[in-house]
Amino acid sequence: MPASCGMISSPLLCGTKQCPYANECIASLAGYDPSQCTAPPPTCPVGDADCSGEPSNPYTCGPNNCPYNTVCDAQSAGFDIGADCCQDTRGNTLCTSDISSVSCGPPGGKQCSYSNQCLADAAGYNSKQCCNAVPDGIACTADFKP
């Protein structure tokens, strides 16, 4: 197992839950063997429904964080909003740009990551539903020093 990981972006889905990791090194730090991981689909699916009359309500969906402007667009592309997507509040929210990452969602359920609690609040979460999170792109070493 590596002691630290580089910032190489080579996304993987690992285990029966298809947990997403930025690269093989980070997946191994999470306890996965390379044989338990696969690369996610390389592109974002596009649906064929006419969603032009739908109100803007942006989401990011799937392991590639595919952006969709409306619920209709995401669902037409084959995503389940509740299970596969997170509300994308970056473009329509007046929040500071400070980075104090949080991960929000029910215990043991789908977790959505936001750069700060303000963006999470705008997505409908509250501080009791969120935990501090490690920002995207940051990796910790495997050194254990109690």
Side-chain angles (χ1 to χ4, degrees), residues 126-141:
N126 64 54
S127 61
K128 291 181 181 179
Q129 298 168 300
C130 300
C131 297
N132 291 334
V134 177
D136 288 340
I138 302 295
C140 302
T141 64

Side-chain angles (χ1 to χ4, degrees), residues 82 85-87 89 102-106 110-114 117-130:
C85 304
C86 292
Q87 184 81 51
T89 58
V102 294
S103 180
C104 307
K110 171 144 180 54
Q111 298 292 302
C112 294
S113 298
Y114 297 95
Q117 188 64 50
C118 178
L119 291 172
D121 292 345
Y125 293 103
N126 64 54
S127 61
K128 291 181 181 179
Q129 298 168 300
C130 300

